[in-house]
Amino acid sequence: MAAAAGFGSNTYRNAAHRSSLKADNKSLAANQSFKSSPSSSSSSSSSFKSRSLQPRKSSPAALGGANGVARDGGGVPGRVRVAVRLRPCNAEELAADADFADCVELQPELKRLKLRKNNWDTDTYAFDEIFTEFASQKRVYEVVAKPVVESVLEGYNGTVMAYGQTGTGKTYTLGKLGEEDTAARGIMVRAMEDILGDISLETDSVSVSYLQLYMETIQDLLDPSNDNISIVEDPKTGDVSLPGASLVEVRDQQSFLELLQLGEAHRFAANTKLNTESSRSHAILMVNVKRYVKEKDPVQSMENGSNSHLARTFKAPVVRKGKLVVVDLAGSERIDKSGSEGHTLEEAKSINLSLSALGKCINALAENSAHIPVRDSKLTRLLRDSFGGTARTSLVITIGPSPRHRGETMSTIMFGQRAMKVENMLKLKEEFDYKSLSRKLELQLDKLIAEHERQQKAFDDEIERIHAESEMQIAESERQYADALERERMKYQKEYMESIKKIEEQLVGDQRKHDSDSATVAQNDYYSNGEVSSISALKEVADLKKLLEKETLLKKAAEEELSNHKRQLYQSKLMEASATSEILKLRKLLEDESRQKDKLEGEISLLQSQLLQLSLDADERRRRLDRAGSGNDSNDLDCLMAQVKNPQLSDSENGEKASVAKLFEQVGLHKILSLLEADDVDVRIHAVKVVANLAAEEANQQKIVEAGGLMSLLNLLRSSDDETIHRVAAGAIANLAMNETNQELIMAQGGIRLLSTTATNAGDPQTLRMVAGAIANLCGNDKLQTMLRGEGGIKALLGMVHCGHPDVLAQVARGIANFAKCESRASAQGTKTGRSLLIEDGALPWIVQSANSEASAIRRHIELALCHLAQHEVNAKDMISGGALWELVRISRDCSREDIRTLAHRSLASSSTFKAELRRLRMDY
Ligand code: ADP
Ligand code: MG
């Protein structure tokens, strides 16, 4: 939107000029606010808009948004701007006032107005802008309302209000619809045009309420049945809202015009019913603009890889909620107390109540009064942000030209003059939309879990299938092998039997032949001298040879068959081996998958811890905001300490805390503790913050220690060189050190030396405070006294007092008081005889010096410490020479706490050394 010629551009150009008018006009002399304006002298050409949006403090761009306005509760000053508009004469006035001189004279180029007092005298008044009767509606909008509308679009609250006598043009200026003549459109219509033109309908939203305030009753002009709406104030922020009023979302200009028409019709009907004029009621239009701040620098997140990608995905979106309030006030003329309009006197008072209360508030603000009577009327409660609040406010005061209404015109002008002195502090209405982030994260988480479950199921199914398949294969090949073996065996057996049979047959045949041959041989012998017998023997040999050959062949065949089978056996063994290797491969696949699953689970837990951290940050931020309201500016770690001190505080937190605890159950302590050793320092910081938050709750402390959290925290002190980590880890250790067993553990791990080194290297007083808090807790353990002192605990405490920060000093004082208490207990039991170790370690000068500290937390501890020290006679001499006796006397007389007073008195009375010294000093005791 182009910058309009706002009030300011002229205001500051004329500032110097205005102060020069001081001499000739008393009303201008009162207008001091211009002189004190910071830019009146130097940046005379800078416009109201650009000046007021200058950041006062630098803040991170990501938080400060596009224009870098600080959002830490600081604001920018913005005075209420006031313009005067003169209505043209109407026909009646032209006729009736023709003989009279005008009562006002405008000097628009000087931004002045002269009001005639009598024939000789005039008073001159300066305003931010003077509109003559010829000023166009467009110019009035651009000068009065456009800068306010632009602020609303940037996330500030804004108010445009018209004040003046009935008939002077308030409704014309603000509410004119301009249906017949677009040039006549008023501020409401033009403002909505600009708003709808600037927002994005996909992400942003505009909604309106339209109300009438009459006789201290608020009616809904968009829903006439709703005729008694109450104002609700947020006790923390002081923001007012009207939860009972209709809130209609507007997406186009036409529907807005219809809403205004509807409102006007209802207003007319309501006023007829109540028998009043609309000039007696206030009409209030509220336009809520909600916009999401666009994310910047996507380049950076691409460069930094997945981590910052995560951070970007899970950053809560920022919303800005600006509210524009347009107020068409009731006529400012004094109401006729005689009740000529049919009202009783009481009614007349009630009708006027809101407007006169507004006048009183503005007077009080203009005079910087301590009390602003905001609560006196509904109007002033509704407008508390518009005057003296955080909104940018413009006021048009409308006057008529007629000399007959000089009195009313005069009082209108005086109202405008006072309103010009009201200084607002503009504040950006920006917040994190944690709800939408949380929804987004939950969705993402559910998606991841579902995806993981699907993958796991598919994987299990696949493994089962492969397993069954290979089992089947193995069984099948085993069966085949057994079958083949059996077949072969049978075959051989058969062949063998056959060949045996054959041989037997042969043998029988041979036998038979042999027998007959022998007979023949006997005969032949007889005839041929044995020749025959040798032939047959030869034949037999040949037959046997043949038989042998055949047998050999058979044997070979059998051998071949056997080796065949061996080969087959070998092959099936090979098959079996390959099936086994397949199973091994699958097993490896399974292992890979489960590794992948572990990784995913790790990522999920990281996301959960980040979500958790965000929720915690939100808690802290909310708490900080709460505290900012009451002027307290503590840091994050205060929350931790506060939780330690007041655990019931955190109990009363809302449901968000419970969801945090639930998340912890899901993530698991071990996972969170393992993140303490993460490579990424951001993750470590997140993790240590989470652990510190957990450690703040007594219920978690034992679990943390059992899971090795205490060791990890001490290790962080040892190994990390990041101060944030030191600070948070020390805070967590301080919390854990509330418990006696943990105190012994901390000591056994060399905790005192670690804490001392941390204190020596610390730059931030809050780190020192955490360290001192931890040591102070250890000081309260009777068993650890000697060891604590031996490891330099007392020296470390005393070393921290140089920092001078009252929070640190309070912890040191607490530690000393704890130590002294344990010592006096030990003395009473007779287990300690020598001088106090505190005195040995040189603590006395600081104790004496702090006994009168203005900070009550420090003083109380020190007073107690002195009383404890005084109970042991061996300390008395040192205490006298160190000036502690005087402090004891003072405590016994002046201390506001009776128990301490009595203790001091008893200590003095029971020590002969003290009594002797007091006698020597001739002090009555
Ligand atoms: P108010 O709301 O202060 O009672 P209106 O806005 O109703 O006054 O104005 C009274 C009459 O004067 C209306 O008829 C209106 O049209 C007319 N009027 C007011 N201001 C102007 C102006 N600047 N130019 C022309 N007519 C005007
Ligand atoms: Mg009106």
Side-chain angles (χ1 to χ4, degrees):
M1 216 184 281
F7 282 14
S9 54
N10 299 321
T11 304
Y12 291 103
R13 198 161 47 241
N14 289 316
H17 174 78
R18 202 171 272 111
S19 49
S20 72
L21 283 173
K22 200 168 60 168
D24 66 63
N25 190 297
K26 63 180 190 313
S27 70
L28 283 173
N31 206 349
Q32 293 296 323
S33 64
F34 289 110
K35 281 206 316 181
S36 58
S37 160
S39 43
S40 60
S41 56
S42 56
S43 54
S44 60
S45 64
S46 71
S47 75
F48 167 55
K49 181 168 174 273
S50 63
R51 182 193 72 88
S52 62
L53 293 185
Q54 286 299 316
R56 288 177 120 190
K57 278 189 198 172
S58 65
S59 60
L63 295 179
N67 52 28
V69 170
R71 59 148 108 189
D72 54 355
V76 281
R79 180 174 60 71
V80 171
R81 305 282 143 174
V82 183
V84 183
R85 186 178 199 184
L86 176 66
R87 173 175 58 65
C89 279
N90 56 29
E92 187 195 335
E93 282 162 345
L94 276 175
D97 302 335
D99 301 337
F100 298 93
D102 282 348
C103 77
V104 289
E105 181 195 329
L106 304 185
Q107 297 178 317
E109 65 293 342
L110 297 178
K111 317 245 177 262
R112 298 199 305 200
L113 169 154
K114 288 190 167 181
L115 184 69
R116 187 178 294 281
K117 263 163 87 178
N118 49 44
N119 279 342
W120 311 276
D121 243 353
T122 56
D123 276 340
T124 307
Y125 300 97
F127 282 95
D128 289 309
E129 186 67 54
I130 302 283
F131 296 115
T132 67
E133 63 267 51
F134 307 113
S136 68
Q137 289 279 75
K138 179 170 193 286
R139 204 167 87 75
V140 173
Y141 170 73
E142 285 186 344
V143 175
V144 174
K146 193 157 181 159
V148 178
V149 171
E150 284 173 348
S151 289
V152 169
L153 283 166
E154 280 162 3
Y156 295 83
N157 285 346
T159 314
V160 178
M161 191 168 88
Y163 180 97
Q165 192 185 351
T166 299
T168 50
K170 295 183 296 297
T171 307
Y172 182 85
T173 302
L174 297 178
K176 187 94 177 147
L177 296 183
E179 289 150 309
E180 316 83 42
D181 174 11
T182 48
R185 283 168 303 155
I187 282 174
M188 289 180 184
V189 178
R190 288 175 196 263
M192 186 55 80
E193 268 167 9
D194 276 354
I195 290 171
L196 288 172
D198 196 61
I199 61 154
S200 140
L201 282 175
E202 287 103 67
T203 52
D204 306 339
S205 70
V206 181
S207 48
V208 302
S209 302
Y210 197 17
L211 311 147
Q212 168 167 272
L213 171 59
Y214 176 63
M215 296 251 288
E216 294 305 286
T217 306
I218 302 174
Q219 300 148 336
D220 191 341
L221 290 179
L222 302 180
D223 175 9
S225 64
N226 206 358
D227 59 4
N228 192 6
I229 295 172
S230 44
I231 302 175
V232 174
E233 276 166 55
D234 185 325
K236 285 188 200 150
T237 60
D239 285 347
V240 293
S241 59
L242 301 167
S246 320
L247 195 62
V248 181
E249 179 150 1
V250 174
R251 298 184 66 81
D252 59 87
Q253 187 67 14
Q254 189 51 39
S255 56
F256 177 63
L257 289 177
E258 282 161 16
L259 277 183
L260 286 184
Q261 275 165 336
L262 179 77
E264 211 39 60
H266 287 154
R267 194 177 183 200
F268 181 78
N271 290 333
T272 311
K273 198 167 126 198
L274 295 168
N275 191 21
T276 182
E277 301 255 343
S278 69
S279 66
R280 291 282 162 237
S281 68
H282 312 279
I284 301 156
L285 177 76
M286 289 183 172
V287 183
N288 298 288
V289 181
K290 179 176 167 186
R291 313 186 78 173
Y292 278 88
V293 178
K294 299 212 173 55
E295 236 216 284
K296 295 195 299 176
D297 59 8
V299 182
Q300 193 197 349
S301 59
M302 265 151 62
E303 280 169 3
N304 292 357
S306 63
N307 244 344
S308 68
H309 168 73
L310 282 180
R312 190 168 58 99
T313 314
F314 301 119
K315 213 161 85 184
V318 175
V319 275
R320 291 191 180 158
K321 294 177 177 170
K323 182 162 86 174
L324 174 65
V325 182
V326 184
V327 191
D328 187 355
L329 289 173
S332 62
E333 61 278 5
R334 240 153 278 143
I335 198 162
D336 187 350
K337 298 215 168 127
S338 66
S340 66
E341 282 180 35
H343 294 296
T344 63
L345 183 57
E346 277 312 303
E347 279 171 335
K349 270 191 204 156
S350 175
I351 290 168
N352 252 3
L353 181 71
S354 269
L355 202 60
S356 54
L358 178 65
K360 280 181 199 152
C361 281
I362 285 178
N363 284 351
L365 284 162
E367 285 157 15
N368 264 329
S369 253
H371 174 64
I372 315 295
V374 172
R375 308 198 60 83
D376 284 3
S377 77
K378 294 227 163 127
L379 182 66
T380 46
R381 284 172 69 197
L382 274 177
L383 295 179
R384 72 182 302 161
D385 199 36
S386 306
F387 293 94
T390 68
R392 175 177 299 243
T393 297
S394 284
L395 172 67
V396 194
I397 60 169
T398 55
I399 54 174
S402 168
R404 283 176 296 159
H405 297 305
R406 215 197 69 84
E408 295 296 348
T409 304
M410 172 78 187
S411 86
T412 300
I413 284 167
M414 291 321 291
F415 180 89
Q417 286 287 300
R418 284 189 293 269
M420 277 178 82
K421 293 185 196 158
V422 177
E423 217 24 274
N424 286 359
M425 259 306 177
L426 310 193
K427 267 191 203 156
L428 193 59
K429 305 291 177 187
E430 189 175 74
E431 56 191 52
F432 287 114
D433 189 353
Y434 282 110
K435 275 196 190 130
S436 93
L437 173 68
S438 168
R439 273 197 302 277
K440 201 164 121 191
L441 280 173
E442 260 163 28
L443 219 70
Q444 190 97 0
L445 204 62
D446 282 350
K447 255 203 277 197
L448 275 172
I449 288 170
E451 179 56 27
H452 177 238
E453 206 177 341
R454 261 198 301 281
Q455 279 183 3
Q456 184 70 36
K457 175 86 180 60
F459 177 72
D460 287 350
D461 288 354
E462 182 65 10
I463 292 289
E464 201 152 295
R465 192 186 62 73
I466 291 171
H467 188 73
E469 214 166 68
S470 53
E471 225 142 60
M472 247 157 65
Q473 272 177 7
I474 290 169
E476 174 68 7
S477 50
E478 271 175 3
R479 200 174 47 73
Q480 274 176 5
Y481 175 65
D483 284 358
L485 211 63
E486 182 62 20
R487 264 200 312 280
E488 285 305 308
R489 202 178 61 79
M490 297 296 283
K491 195 170 143 204
Y492 275 102
Q493 205 166 12
K494 207 169 127 207
E495 277 173 8
Y496 178 69
M497 296 304 280
E498 269 167 13
S499 34
I500 296 280
K501 213 163 124 196
K502 259 186 207 156
I503 291 171
E504 273 173 4
E505 274 166 17
Q506 190 104 27
L507 215 63
V508 171
D510 283 355
Q511 193 68 44
R512 230 182 266 134
K513 211 166 148 198
H514 184 74
D515 289 351
S516 71
D517 278 354
S518 327
T520 321
V521 167
Q523 264 181 354
N524 285 353
D525 276 353
Y526 186 72
Y527 300 112
S528 59
N529 295 325
E531 209 176 275
V532 177
S533 89
S534 80
I535 288 171
S536 81
L538 276 175
K539 207 175 147 214
E540 199 176 325
V541 167
D543 277 355
L544 277 173
K545 238 184 202 168
K546 235 188 252 163
L547 209 68
L548 192 64
E549 267 166 24
K550 212 172 150 194
E551 283 297 317
T552 316
L553 275 178
L554 267 172
K555 188 183 158 214
K556 233 186 214 160
E559 270 170 7
E560 231 163 68
E561 193 72 19
L562 191 65
S563 75
N564 232 355
H565 277 285
K566 267 189 187 154
R567 244 196 328 275
Q568 271 183 11
L569 184 63
Y570 175 67
Q571 252 159 17
S572 12
K573 276 211 173 122
L574 274 183
M575 257 163 72
E576 198 184 324
S578 90
T580 316
S581 88
E582 184 78 10
I583 287 172
L584 281 177
K585 238 192 264 164
L586 285 171
R587 207 165 271 158
K588 197 161 162 289
L589 217 68
L590 182 66
E591 273 164 18
D592 284 353
E593 285 290 333
S594 82
R595 258 200 298 283
Q596 185 72 17
K597 182 185 149 204
D598 284 352
K599 215 171 110 194
L600 275 173
E601 273 172 359
E603 233 163 73
I604 288 173
S605 69
L606 183 64
L607 290 178
Q608 281 172 332
S609 83
Q610 282 186 353
L611 170 61
L612 182 68
Q613 186 55 45
L614 280 169
S615 317
L616 293 172
D617 284 352
D619 275 355
E620 280 169 22
R621 218 162 260 139
R622 192 168 310 120
R623 271 197 290 276
R624 214 181 314 155
L625 274 175
D626 293 351
R627 272 200 304 273
S630 58
N632 191 343
D633 61 350
S634 320
N635 71 350
D636 299 3
L637 287 155
D638 278 352
C639 301
L640 291 182
M641 291 307 275
Q643 280 176 344
V644 177
K645 289 177 194 153
N646 293 319
Q648 71 274 18
L649 273 186
S650 47
D651 290 347
S652 67
E653 294 277 23
N654 52 21
E656 228 161 305
K657 195 99 206 173
S659 79
V660 167
K662 215 173 102 198
L663 267 172
F664 269 121
E665 277 168 30
Q666 288 170 6
V667 176
L669 190 57
H670 282 280
K671 280 254 159 64
I672 296 170
L673 289 178
S674 72
L675 292 175
L676 288 179
E677 278 140 42
D679 292 335
D680 186 330
V681 66
D682 283 341
V683 175
R684 278 207 304 277
I685 291 178
H686 277 315
V688 74
K689 282 187 181 173
V690 170
V691 174
N693 270 298
L694 270 181
E697 307 226 356
E698 218 179 303
N700 298 329
Q701 290 176 351
Q702 197 184 345
K703 284 185 225 156
I704 293 175
V705 175
E706 278 169 5
L710 180 55
M711 293 275 276
S712 305
L713 288 166
L714 288 167
N715 268 339
L716 277 182
L717 288 191
R718 194 174 289 130
S719 61
S720 173
D721 41 17
D722 182 291
E723 173 132 18
T724 304
I725 290 186
H726 283 179
R727 190 176 66 231
V728 184
I733 292 169
N735 285 342
L736 294 176
M738 312 250 301
N739 159 310
E740 211 169 297
T741 320
N742 294 347
Q743 289 167 354
E744 285 166 19
L745 276 174
I746 293 171
M747 291 296 289
Q749 300 295 328
I752 286 293
R753 289 197 197 286
L754 280 175
L755 288 165
S756 305
T757 319
T758 309
T760 313
N761 298 332
D764 180 352
Q766 293 307 327
T767 311
L768 292 179
R769 179 167 155 230
M770 297 300 145
V771 171
I775 299 181
N777 284 343
L778 297 172
C779 282
N781 188 320
D782 295 290
K783 287 185 248 166
L784 303 176
Q785 296 268 291
T786 326
M787 184 169 178
L788 185 131
R789 189 257 182 160
E791 307 239 315
I794 297 170
K795 291 250 160 76
L797 273 181
L798 291 172
M800 284 184 262
V801 306
H802 290 303
C803 125
H805 194 290
D807 291 349
V808 179
L809 298 186
Q811 293 302 329
V812 173
R814 185 167 70 82
I816 284 176
N818 276 348
F819 199 92
K821 184 176 69 193
C822 289
E823 275 193 336
S824 79
R825 235 185 339 236
S827 303
Q829 288 163 1
T831 48
K832 170 156 182 28
T833 45
R835 214 159 54 129
S836 163
L837 298 177
L838 289 169
I839 297 179
E840 298 272 337
D841 275 4
L844 199 55
W846 186 73
I847 293 177
V848 172
Q849 173 203 326
S850 308
N852 261 319
S853 169
E854 279 178 10
S856 64
I858 302 173
R859 199 173 58 240
R860 282 286 162 273
H861 289 309
I862 292 301
E863 283 170 351
L864 270 174
L866 278 170
C867 291
H868 286 307
L869 287 175
Q871 301 211 324
H872 202 33
E873 188 72 12
V874 282
N875 297 329
K877 266 208 181 101
D878 290 288
M879 291 184 75
I880 291 169
S881 62
L885 177 59
W886 293 115
E887 295 304 334
L888 273 170
V889 171
R890 180 191 60 74
I891 294 165
S892 72
R893 286 177 178 164
D894 303 341
C895 180
S896 60
R897 265 181 56 181
E898 197 192 338
D899 50 347
I900 301 181
R901 235 173 25 235
T902 317
L903 191 61
H905 193 277
R906 243 201 345 254
S907 311
L908 285 173
S910 63
S911 158
S912 52
T913 318
F914 283 144
K915 276 198 289 197
E917 176 70 4
L918 288 172
R919 259 197 312 278
R920 192 179 70 79
L921 295 168
R922 295 187 208 298
M923 274 184 68
D924 247 2
Y925 209 79

